[in-house]
Amino acid sequence: MITEIVLALEPELAPDAVAEAVASIAKTKSRRRTLAQALTCDPELLTSGRPQGPVSVQNLIRALQAIGAKRVVLPRCARCGKQHKLLSLDGDQRICAYCRMKQAAEEDPCVICGRTAHIASRDHLGRARCVHHPDTGDQNPVDVVCDHVASVEPGLPREEVAATVRDVCQLLAHQRQLAWALENNPRLLTGEGAHGPHKLILLIEALLARGARNIVLPRCPFCGTDRKLRHVLDGQRTCRACYEKFRVLTCSRCGQDRPIASRTVDGQPLCHPCTRADPVNHEPCTKCGRTALIVRREGDRLLCGRCFRAPVAVCSVCGRTRPCYFAGGEAPRCETCANRLRPPQTCSRCQNVRQVKYRLPDGSPLCGGCGTIRVPCHLCGKTKPLKGRGPDGEGICRTCYDKHPIARRNCVQCGVLERLYHHGLCNSCALDRQLAGLLGGPDGSIRPDLEPVLRCLHRGDPLSLLIWLRSPVPRRLLTALATEKGPVTHELLDGLQHPVKAVRHLRAALAADGVLPARDEQLGCFVWILRGLSYFPSGDASRGGSAAVAG
């Protein structure tokens, strides 16, 4: 949308260059959305020079001028009329930083001389100071911080502490703020750091990395956990979970009181489920082609929840090689073990002890059944669990979704239009991929002796065979065939140590297709039992005797 508006004003520019300029100045989706809304409402912001609209408008104009745009005009400050960077607002008009400083000085003059110009800083009480009367104090703020650190951690060299302070607080104003905070409360270094500024926590983390032992990294004052305190709530630094927990508002879409994840274009709050379900936040997956919520970005690759797979590692609980959470950490865990380690709780609605899948805004647990969102279906009107959404975001139940044309998509491999099985593939292409993975060797190639088996399996119904392959027994059977040598015969199938039902099913399919010669299965089963009896003494009534009775 932004590129089309720009090309309507600057038709001589290349569309790719304009798109690259837009991506360079609006890197996040929210900024692009804000810029698109502003230019849609008033396209003359690019050519009128009026100091209105978001900051991204003037950034876009500078980027367009750099690639040769002639008709766009930079806005001028609403006060001084100069083409500076307009980062501040005066009502609905944008002004430059110098005019903003003058405006702030007029509203809050210097506490010492009363001047209304050149307000450069504030003292430890928050009062304005001009450049002629700065609140420098009697000591260097870095020395003040070093003195407080030395009183708690005398083993650290003073020069090393001073270098750490300068690395964390590069501005003099931040150094003063840190020194004032320690002067007011020296216990900030020993556990009460949640009451201090953000730079203090960064300093504590840096000192701990340099070997400090007596300095204590503060815990979250609300939940008591060792998490990064990057947010402020009620004057205290808090973790993200507690910050979102206490920022509960009424969602503008579902009407429930929940923590807010984002906002609409007009500033209305949206909860996490509604943000994920909003079609505006969906993008085409580069693997399956489905337009969905992107959960993983790997350079130019965008992966949806169906296509993304966690990194493979050895699970620290079960010891099996599986896709694991925390694969790069010391204790990776597969999804099964992670769910098993999560203790079940009593559901706040049905009162059954089950695994927690959802939570209410007050933290009450909900099981999967009670937490499933049920909405009126747009087509049948019945209140059912949500299966999908229509072109305009309307909710559709499972029954109506299976019949809706939106459920049919083009396969990314063969292009056929039908209900896709997974990863953007139709049933036939998905079957090709699964059989190639099961019957293929270490290099992925299928040996010539298995080509008749592959052709036989392809002649059946792809969806029925895919459902059969969901069970681990058929998958292990086909993998065992891939490791054997020679052609597939009745004797080879008889020697496989797999459940008889799966082998019988595969044998019947191969015999019906002519890959194996027909034989009397009752006689073959009797011969197999006799072969089993020959491994045991005549007086043993254990395994052989039970097999004979079963025969």
mmCIF file of all heavy atoms in Angstrom, residues 13-61:
data_model
loop_
_atom_site.group_PDB
_atom_site.id
_atom_site.type_symbol
_atom_site.label_atom_id
_atom_site.label_comp_id
_atom_site.label_asym_id
_atom_site.label_seq_id
_atom_site.Cartn_x
_atom_site.Cartn_y
_atom_site.Cartn_z
ATOM 1 N N LEU A 13 10.313 6.217 -10.256
ATOM 2 C CA LEU A 13 11.105 5.385 -9.346
ATOM 3 C C LEU A 13 10.819 3.909 -9.580
ATOM 4 O O LEU A 13 9.712 3.520 -9.977
ATOM 5 C CB LEU A 13 10.796 5.739 -7.893
ATOM 6 C CG LEU A 13 11.167 7.151 -7.429
ATOM 7 C CD1 LEU A 13 10.789 7.341 -5.961
ATOM 8 C CD2 LEU A 13 12.659 7.420 -7.623
ATOM 9 N N ALA A 14 11.813 3.083 -9.323
ATOM 10 C CA ALA A 14 11.658 1.637 -9.465
ATOM 11 C C ALA A 14 10.868 1.089 -8.274
ATOM 12 O O ALA A 14 11.150 1.456 -7.121
ATOM 13 C CB ALA A 14 13.020 0.957 -9.548
ATOM 14 N N PRO A 15 9.890 0.210 -8.499
ATOM 15 C CA PRO A 15 9.097 -0.330 -7.371
ATOM 16 C C PRO A 15 9.950 -1.072 -6.346
ATOM 17 O O PRO A 15 9.695 -0.972 -5.138
ATOM 18 C CB PRO A 15 8.101 -1.267 -8.068
ATOM 19 C CG PRO A 15 7.997 -0.750 -9.461
ATOM 20 C CD PRO A 15 9.358 -0.223 -9.797
ATOM 21 N N ASP A 16 10.960 -1.802 -6.822
ATOM 22 C CA ASP A 16 11.817 -2.528 -5.873
ATOM 23 C C ASP A 16 12.597 -1.563 -4.987
ATOM 24 O O ASP A 16 12.780 -1.814 -3.783
ATOM 25 C CB ASP A 16 12.777 -3.435 -6.631
ATOM 26 C CG ASP A 16 12.053 -4.551 -7.362
ATOM 27 O OD1 ASP A 16 10.900 -4.844 -6.976
ATOM 28 O OD2 ASP A 16 12.633 -5.122 -8.303
ATOM 29 N N ALA A 17 13.064 -0.459 -5.555
ATOM 30 C CA ALA A 17 13.804 0.518 -4.761
ATOM 31 C C ALA A 17 12.903 1.186 -3.730
ATOM 32 O O ALA A 17 13.319 1.446 -2.594
ATOM 33 C CB ALA A 17 14.432 1.567 -5.680
ATOM 34 N N VAL A 18 11.655 1.470 -4.120
ATOM 35 C CA VAL A 18 10.720 2.069 -3.167
ATOM 36 C C VAL A 18 10.403 1.093 -2.043
ATOM 37 O O VAL A 18 10.361 1.464 -0.867
ATOM 38 C CB VAL A 18 9.431 2.504 -3.894
ATOM 39 C CG1 VAL A 18 8.406 3.028 -2.900
ATOM 40 C CG2 VAL A 18 9.746 3.570 -4.930
ATOM 41 N N ALA A 19 10.161 -0.167 -2.402
ATOM 42 C CA ALA A 19 9.870 -1.166 -1.373
ATOM 43 C C ALA A 19 11.049 -1.334 -0.413
ATOM 44 O O ALA A 19 10.865 -1.487 0.801
ATOM 45 C CB ALA A 19 9.525 -2.501 -2.030
ATOM 46 N N GLU A 20 12.261 -1.277 -0.941
ATOM 47 C CA GLU A 20 13.446 -1.384 -0.083
ATOM 48 C C GLU A 20 13.570 -0.164 0.829
ATOM 49 O O GLU A 20 13.963 -0.288 2.000
ATOM 50 C CB GLU A 20 14.687 -1.541 -0.948
ATOM 51 C CG GLU A 20 15.958 -1.782 -0.158
ATOM 52 C CD GLU A 20 17.157 -2.012 -1.057
ATOM 53 O OE1 GLU A 20 16.969 -2.087 -2.298
ATOM 54 O OE2 GLU A 20 18.281 -2.099 -0.529
ATOM 55 N N ALA A 21 13.229 1.015 0.313
ATOM 56 C CA ALA A 21 13.274 2.219 1.148
ATOM 57 C C ALA A 21 12.240 2.149 2.266
ATOM 58 O O ALA A 21 12.517 2.536 3.404
ATOM 59 C CB ALA A 21 13.045 3.457 0.280
ATOM 60 N N VAL A 22 11.050 1.648 1.970
ATOM 61 C CA VAL A 22 10.011 1.505 3.000
ATOM 62 C C VAL A 22 10.459 0.519 4.067
ATOM 63 O O VAL A 22 10.290 0.746 5.273
ATOM 64 C CB VAL A 22 8.683 1.063 2.356
ATOM 65 C CG1 VAL A 22 7.646 0.757 3.429
ATOM 66 C CG2 VAL A 22 8.168 2.136 1.417
ATOM 67 N N ALA A 23 11.042 -0.604 3.651
ATOM 68 C CA ALA A 23 11.493 -1.603 4.621
ATOM 69 C C ALA A 23 12.634 -1.087 5.490
ATOM 70 O O ALA A 23 12.772 -1.495 6.647
ATOM 71 C CB ALA A 23 11.930 -2.867 3.881
ATOM 72 N N SER A 24 13.445 -0.169 4.957
ATOM 73 C CA SER A 24 14.582 0.336 5.731
ATOM 74 C C SER A 24 14.166 1.316 6.819
ATOM 75 O O SER A 24 14.818 1.398 7.861
ATOM 76 C CB SER A 24 15.596 1.004 4.798
ATOM 77 O OG SER A 24 15.027 2.154 4.185
ATOM 78 N N ILE A 25 13.077 2.068 6.606
ATOM 79 C CA ILE A 25 12.682 3.062 7.604
ATOM 80 C C ILE A 25 11.539 2.570 8.496
ATOM 81 O O ILE A 25 11.291 3.147 9.549
ATOM 82 C CB ILE A 25 12.275 4.387 6.915
ATOM 83 C CG1 ILE A 25 11.075 4.174 5.958
ATOM 84 C CG2 ILE A 25 13.446 4.978 6.173
ATOM 85 C CD1 ILE A 25 9.765 4.518 6.516
ATOM 86 N N ALA A 26 10.847 1.513 8.102
ATOM 87 C CA ALA A 26 9.759 0.932 8.916
ATOM 88 C C ALA A 26 10.002 -0.567 9.002
ATOM 89 O O ALA A 26 9.469 -1.345 8.221
ATOM 90 C CB ALA A 26 8.390 1.246 8.314
ATOM 91 N N LYS A 27 10.832 -0.966 9.940
ATOM 92 C CA LYS A 27 11.261 -2.360 10.023
ATOM 93 C C LYS A 27 10.255 -3.252 10.741
ATOM 94 O O LYS A 27 10.307 -4.468 10.579
ATOM 95 C CB LYS A 27 12.621 -2.442 10.717
ATOM 96 C CG LYS A 27 13.729 -1.713 9.957
ATOM 97 C CD LYS A 27 15.058 -1.850 10.655
ATOM 98 C CE LYS A 27 16.152 -1.137 9.883
ATOM 99 N NZ LYS A 27 17.480 -1.255 10.539
ATOM 100 N N THR A 28 9.382 -2.683 11.542
ATOM 101 C CA THR A 28 8.397 -3.490 12.253
ATOM 102 C C THR A 28 7.034 -3.337 11.582
ATOM 103 O O THR A 28 6.755 -2.352 10.897
ATOM 104 C CB THR A 28 8.299 -3.071 13.726
ATOM 105 O OG1 THR A 28 7.866 -1.699 13.800
ATOM 106 C CG2 THR A 28 9.649 -3.216 14.413
ATOM 107 N N LYS A 29 6.192 -4.331 11.818
ATOM 108 C CA LYS A 29 4.873 -4.332 11.198
ATOM 109 C C LYS A 29 4.011 -3.190 11.719
ATOM 110 O O LYS A 29 3.231 -2.589 10.975
ATOM 111 C CB LYS A 29 4.197 -5.676 11.462
ATOM 112 C CG LYS A 29 2.901 -5.870 10.717
ATOM 113 C CD LYS A 29 2.276 -7.215 11.051
ATOM 114 C CE LYS A 29 3.193 -8.336 10.673
ATOM 115 N NZ LYS A 29 2.573 -9.654 10.927
ATOM 116 N N SER A 30 4.137 -2.867 12.997
ATOM 117 C CA SER A 30 3.325 -1.790 13.556
ATOM 118 C C SER A 30 3.687 -0.442 12.938
ATOM 119 O O SER A 30 2.809 0.389 12.670
ATOM 120 C CB SER A 30 3.500 -1.747 15.076
ATOM 121 O OG SER A 30 4.854 -1.510 15.413
ATOM 122 N N ARG A 31 4.973 -0.207 12.689
ATOM 123 C CA ARG A 31 5.379 1.058 12.064
ATOM 124 C C ARG A 31 4.890 1.141 10.626
ATOM 125 O O ARG A 31 4.445 2.210 10.181
ATOM 126 C CB ARG A 31 6.899 1.196 12.113
ATOM 127 C CG ARG A 31 7.451 1.390 13.527
ATOM 128 C CD ARG A 31 8.950 1.573 13.502
ATOM 129 N NE ARG A 31 9.487 1.764 14.845
ATOM 130 C CZ ARG A 31 10.782 1.923 15.117
ATOM 131 N NH1 ARG A 31 11.664 1.913 14.123
ATOM 132 N NH2 ARG A 31 11.182 2.073 16.361
ATOM 133 N N ARG A 32 4.964 0.041 9.906
ATOM 134 C CA ARG A 32 4.454 0.056 8.532
ATOM 135 C C ARG A 32 2.947 0.286 8.517
ATOM 136 O O ARG A 32 2.420 0.982 7.639
ATOM 137 C CB ARG A 32 4.804 -1.265 7.840
ATOM 138 C CG ARG A 32 6.281 -1.463 7.599
ATOM 139 C CD ARG A 32 6.542 -2.585 6.627
ATOM 140 N NE ARG A 32 6.133 -3.875 7.166
ATOM 141 C CZ ARG A 32 6.928 -4.688 7.841
ATOM 142 N NH1 ARG A 32 8.190 -4.329 8.061
ATOM 143 N NH2 ARG A 32 6.503 -5.839 8.291
ATOM 144 N N ARG A 33 2.265 -0.309 9.481
ATOM 145 C CA ARG A 33 0.821 -0.133 9.541
ATOM 146 C C ARG A 33 0.457 1.316 9.854
ATOM 147 O O ARG A 33 -0.468 1.889 9.265
ATOM 148 C CB ARG A 33 0.258 -1.076 10.611
ATOM 149 C CG ARG A 33 -1.227 -1.246 10.579
ATOM 150 C CD ARG A 33 -1.658 -2.235 11.641
ATOM 151 N NE ARG A 33 -1.011 -3.512 11.446
ATOM 152 C CZ ARG A 33 -1.023 -4.482 12.350
ATOM 153 N NH1 ARG A 33 -1.627 -4.301 13.495
ATOM 154 N NH2 ARG A 33 -0.434 -5.624 12.110
ATOM 155 N N THR A 34 1.181 1.930 10.797
ATOM 156 C CA THR A 34 0.925 3.330 11.131
ATOM 157 C C THR A 34 1.215 4.249 9.952
ATOM 158 O O THR A 34 0.455 5.185 9.657
ATOM 159 C CB THR A 34 1.780 3.740 12.342
ATOM 160 O OG1 THR A 34 1.489 2.875 13.445
ATOM 161 C CG2 THR A 34 1.504 5.172 12.755
ATOM 162 N N LEU A 35 2.320 3.990 9.260
ATOM 163 C CA LEU A 35 2.675 4.806 8.095
ATOM 164 C C LEU A 35 1.646 4.647 6.987
ATOM 165 O O LEU A 35 1.250 5.633 6.345
ATOM 166 C CB LEU A 35 4.067 4.417 7.606
ATOM 167 C CG LEU A 35 4.594 5.141 6.362
ATOM 168 C CD1 LEU A 35 4.657 6.635 6.592
ATOM 169 C CD2 LEU A 35 5.966 4.599 5.970
ATOM 170 N N ALA A 36 1.193 3.418 6.753
ATOM 171 C CA ALA A 36 0.192 3.193 5.708
ATOM 172 C C ALA A 36 -1.115 3.901 6.021
ATOM 173 O O ALA A 36 -1.754 4.476 5.131
ATOM 174 C CB ALA A 36 -0.040 1.687 5.538
ATOM 175 N N GLN A 37 -1.522 3.875 7.285
ATOM 176 C CA GLN A 37 -2.766 4.555 7.653
ATOM 177 C C GLN A 37 -2.645 6.067 7.464
ATOM 178 O O GLN A 37 -3.567 6.725 6.955
ATOM 179 C CB GLN A 37 -3.135 4.243 9.095
ATOM 180 C CG GLN A 37 -4.472 4.840 9.525
ATOM 181 C CD GLN A 37 -4.673 4.768 11.014
ATOM 182 O OE1 GLN A 37 -3.715 4.662 11.764
ATOM 183 N NE2 GLN A 37 -5.917 4.820 11.451
ATOM 184 N N ALA A 38 -1.484 6.631 7.869
ATOM 185 C CA ALA A 38 -1.308 8.078 7.733
ATOM 186 C C ALA A 38 -1.314 8.510 6.270
ATOM 187 O O ALA A 38 -1.947 9.508 5.909
ATOM 188 C CB ALA A 38 -0.002 8.507 8.411
ATOM 189 N N LEU A 39 -0.632 7.750 5.409
ATOM 190 C CA LEU A 39 -0.580 8.128 3.994
ATOM 191 C C LEU A 39 -1.904 7.850 3.284
ATOM 192 O O LEU A 39 -2.241 8.545 2.314
ATOM 193 C CB LEU A 39 0.552 7.371 3.301
ATOM 194 C CG LEU A 39 1.965 7.709 3.773
ATOM 195 C CD1 LEU A 39 2.995 6.929 2.991
ATOM 196 C CD2 LEU A 39 2.239 9.203 3.661
ATOM 197 N N THR A 40 -2.645 6.859 3.735
ATOM 198 C CA THR A 40 -3.955 6.609 3.134
ATOM 199 C C THR A 40 -4.925 7.733 3.451
ATOM 200 O O THR A 40 -5.704 8.172 2.590
ATOM 201 C CB THR A 40 -4.508 5.263 3.625
ATOM 202 O OG1 THR A 40 -3.574 4.222 3.308
ATOM 203 C CG2 THR A 40 -5.836 4.943 2.977
ATOM 204 N N CYS A 41 -4.886 8.214 4.696
ATOM 205 C CA CYS A 41 -5.785 9.309 5.085
ATOM 206 C C CYS A 41 -5.376 10.634 4.454
ATOM 207 O O CYS A 41 -6.245 11.463 4.129
ATOM 208 C CB CYS A 41 -5.826 9.427 6.614
ATOM 209 S SG CYS A 41 -6.483 7.981 7.465
ATOM 210 N N ASP A 42 -4.058 10.850 4.276
ATOM 211 C CA ASP A 42 -3.590 12.132 3.745
ATOM 212 C C ASP A 42 -2.329 11.905 2.916
ATOM 213 O O ASP A 42 -1.205 12.052 3.414
ATOM 214 C CB ASP A 42 -3.307 13.106 4.896
ATOM 215 C CG ASP A 42 -3.042 14.529 4.398
ATOM 216 O OD1 ASP A 42 -3.122 14.752 3.180
ATOM 217 O OD2 ASP A 42 -2.760 15.399 5.240
ATOM 218 N N PRO A 43 -2.460 11.550 1.639
ATOM 219 C CA PRO A 43 -1.267 11.331 0.803
ATOM 220 C C PRO A 43 -0.438 12.592 0.593
ATOM 221 O O PRO A 43 0.743 12.498 0.226
ATOM 222 C CB PRO A 43 -1.848 10.827 -0.527
ATOM 223 C CG PRO A 43 -3.234 10.363 -0.202
ATOM 224 C CD PRO A 43 -3.699 11.237 0.925
ATOM 225 N N GLU A 44 -1.018 13.788 0.824
ATOM 226 C CA GLU A 44 -0.269 15.031 0.619
ATOM 227 C C GLU A 44 0.790 15.271 1.682
ATOM 228 O O GLU A 44 1.536 16.244 1.595
ATOM 229 C CB GLU A 44 -1.239 16.208 0.589
ATOM 230 C CG GLU A 44 -2.198 16.203 -0.600
ATOM 231 C CD GLU A 44 -3.085 17.426 -0.625
ATOM 232 O OE1 GLU A 44 -2.980 18.242 0.319
ATOM 233 O OE2 GLU A 44 -3.879 17.572 -1.581
ATOM 234 N N LEU A 45 0.873 14.407 2.691
ATOM 235 C CA LEU A 45 1.943 14.548 3.679
ATOM 236 C C LEU A 45 3.321 14.422 3.042
ATOM 237 O O LEU A 45 4.306 14.957 3.568
ATOM 238 C CB LEU A 45 1.780 13.487 4.777
ATOM 239 C CG LEU A 45 0.613 13.655 5.754
ATOM 240 C CD1 LEU A 45 0.539 12.471 6.705
ATOM 241 C CD2 LEU A 45 0.768 14.952 6.544
ATOM 242 N N LEU A 46 3.393 13.743 1.908
ATOM 243 C CA LEU A 46 4.679 13.561 1.236
ATOM 244 C C LEU A 46 5.084 14.769 0.400
ATOM 245 O O LEU A 46 6.269 14.937 0.094
ATOM 246 C CB LEU A 46 4.630 12.315 0.341
ATOM 247 C CG LEU A 46 4.426 10.971 1.046
ATOM 248 C CD1 LEU A 46 4.257 9.864 0.015
ATOM 249 C CD2 LEU A 46 5.592 10.669 1.966
ATOM 250 N N THR A 47 4.135 15.615 0.027
ATOM 251 C CA THR A 47 4.449 16.712 -0.895
ATOM 252 C C THR A 47 4.104 18.097 -0.350
ATOM 253 O O THR A 47 4.549 19.103 -0.913
ATOM 254 C CB THR A 47 3.677 16.517 -2.212
ATOM 255 O OG1 THR A 47 2.268 16.430 -1.933
ATOM 256 C CG2 THR A 47 4.120 15.240 -2.913
ATOM 257 N N SER A 48 3.334 18.196 0.726
ATOM 258 C CA SER A 48 2.887 19.508 1.197
ATOM 259 C C SER A 48 3.892 20.184 2.121
ATOM 260 O O SER A 48 3.873 21.411 2.269
ATOM 261 C CB SER A 48 1.548 19.366 1.923
ATOM 262 O OG SER A 48 1.696 18.536 3.072
ATOM 263 N N GLY A 49 4.765 19.437 2.783
ATOM 264 C CA GLY A 49 5.694 20.015 3.739
ATOM 265 C C GLY A 49 5.059 20.369 5.058
ATOM 266 O O GLY A 49 5.690 21.066 5.876
ATOM 267 N N ARG A 50 3.835 19.906 5.311
ATOM 268 C CA ARG A 50 3.167 20.208 6.587
ATOM 269 C C ARG A 50 3.768 19.351 7.701
ATOM 270 O O ARG A 50 4.005 18.158 7.521
ATOM 271 C CB ARG A 50 1.665 19.933 6.471
ATOM 272 C CG ARG A 50 0.950 20.960 5.599
ATOM 273 C CD ARG A 50 -0.558 20.752 5.611
ATOM 274 N NE ARG A 50 -0.960 19.645 4.766
ATOM 275 C CZ ARG A 50 -1.381 18.471 5.196
ATOM 276 N NH1 ARG A 50 -1.440 18.238 6.495
ATOM 277 N NH2 ARG A 50 -1.748 17.524 4.352
ATOM 278 N N PRO A 51 4.001 19.931 8.883
ATOM 279 C CA PRO A 51 4.607 19.190 9.998
ATOM 280 C C PRO A 51 3.572 18.348 10.745
ATOM 281 O O PRO A 51 3.281 18.597 11.923
ATOM 282 C CB PRO A 51 5.185 20.307 10.876
ATOM 283 C CG PRO A 51 4.265 21.464 10.652
ATOM 284 C CD PRO A 51 3.813 21.373 9.215
ATOM 285 N N GLN A 52 3.035 17.356 10.081
ATOM 286 C CA GLN A 52 2.029 16.493 10.679
ATOM 287 C C GLN A 52 2.359 15.044 10.335
ATOM 288 O O GLN A 52 3.222 14.763 9.503
ATOM 289 C CB GLN A 52 0.627 16.865 10.167
ATOM 290 C CG GLN A 52 0.144 18.233 10.609
ATOM 291 C CD GLN A 52 -1.216 18.581 10.032
ATOM 292 O OE1 GLN A 52 -1.654 17.993 9.044
ATOM 293 N NE2 GLN A 52 -1.891 19.551 10.635
ATOM 294 N N GLY A 53 1.635 14.144 10.998
ATOM 295 C CA GLY A 53 1.842 12.727 10.744
ATOM 296 C C GLY A 53 2.936 12.147 11.618
ATOM 297 O O GLY A 53 3.620 12.850 12.368
ATOM 298 N N PRO A 54 3.145 10.845 11.536
ATOM 299 C CA PRO A 54 4.182 10.194 12.352
ATOM 300 C C PRO A 54 5.587 10.531 11.869
ATOM 301 O O PRO A 54 5.780 11.066 10.776
ATOM 302 C CB PRO A 54 3.874 8.700 12.169
ATOM 303 C CG PRO A 54 3.179 8.614 10.855
ATOM 304 C CD PRO A 54 2.387 9.877 10.720
ATOM 305 N N VAL A 55 6.567 10.198 12.693
ATOM 306 C CA VAL A 55 7.966 10.469 12.355
ATOM 307 C C VAL A 55 8.381 9.679 11.124
ATOM 308 O O VAL A 55 9.261 10.102 10.359
ATOM 309 C CB VAL A 55 8.867 10.136 13.557
ATOM 310 C CG1 VAL A 55 10.327 10.410 13.236
ATOM 311 C CG2 VAL A 55 8.445 10.942 14.778
ATOM 312 N N SER A 56 7.758 8.516 10.905
ATOM 313 C CA SER A 56 8.147 7.685 9.769
ATOM 314 C C SER A 56 7.867 8.363 8.428
ATOM 315 O O SER A 56 8.473 8.000 7.417
ATOM 316 C CB SER A 56 7.401 6.344 9.830
ATOM 317 O OG SER A 56 6.003 6.537 9.939
ATOM 318 N N VAL A 57 6.987 9.376 8.392
ATOM 319 C CA VAL A 57 6.717 10.088 7.139
ATOM 320 C C VAL A 57 7.963 10.841 6.691
ATOM 321 O O VAL A 57 8.390 10.747 5.527
ATOM 322 C CB VAL A 57 5.520 11.037 7.298
ATOM 323 C CG1 VAL A 57 5.364 11.919 6.072
ATOM 324 C CG2 VAL A 57 4.248 10.247 7.551
ATOM 325 N N GLN A 58 8.585 11.614 7.596
ATOM 326 C CA GLN A 58 9.778 12.347 7.204
ATOM 327 C C GLN A 58 10.957 11.413 6.965
ATOM 328 O O GLN A 58 11.809 11.686 6.106
ATOM 329 C CB GLN A 58 10.135 13.385 8.273
ATOM 330 C CG GLN A 58 10.188 12.841 9.687
ATOM 331 C CD GLN A 58 10.350 13.942 10.718
ATOM 332 O OE1 GLN A 58 11.270 14.741 10.650
ATOM 333 N NE2 GLN A 58 9.433 13.979 11.675
ATOM 334 N N ASN A 59 11.014 10.275 7.685
ATOM 335 C CA ASN A 59 12.070 9.303 7.401
ATOM 336 C C ASN A 59 11.903 8.701 6.009
ATOM 337 O O ASN A 59 12.886 8.473 5.287
ATOM 338 C CB ASN A 59 12.050 8.201 8.454
ATOM 339 C CG ASN A 59 12.427 8.708 9.831
ATOM 340 O OD1 ASN A 59 13.098 9.737 9.965
ATOM 341 N ND2 ASN A 59 11.997 8.014 10.866
ATOM 342 N N LEU A 60 10.650 8.458 5.623
ATOM 343 C CA LEU A 60 10.404 7.940 4.277
ATOM 344 C C LEU A 60 10.777 8.965 3.220
ATOM 345 O O LEU A 60 11.334 8.614 2.169
ATOM 346 C CB LEU A 60 8.931 7.541 4.148
ATOM 347 C CG LEU A 60 8.471 7.069 2.772
ATOM 348 C CD1 LEU A 60 9.230 5.812 2.365
ATOM 349 C CD2 LEU A 60 6.969 6.827 2.756
ATOM 350 N N ILE A 61 10.484 10.243 3.479
ATOM 351 C CA ILE A 61 10.826 11.284 2.498
ATOM 352 C C ILE A 61 12.338 11.356 2.309
ATOM 353 O O ILE A 61 12.828 11.465 1.175
ATOM 354 C CB ILE A 61 10.257 12.641 2.961
ATOM 355 C CG1 ILE A 61 8.718 12.613 2.922
ATOM 356 C CG2 ILE A 61 10.793 13.775 2.099
ATOM 357 C CD1 ILE A 61 8.072 13.854 3.475
#
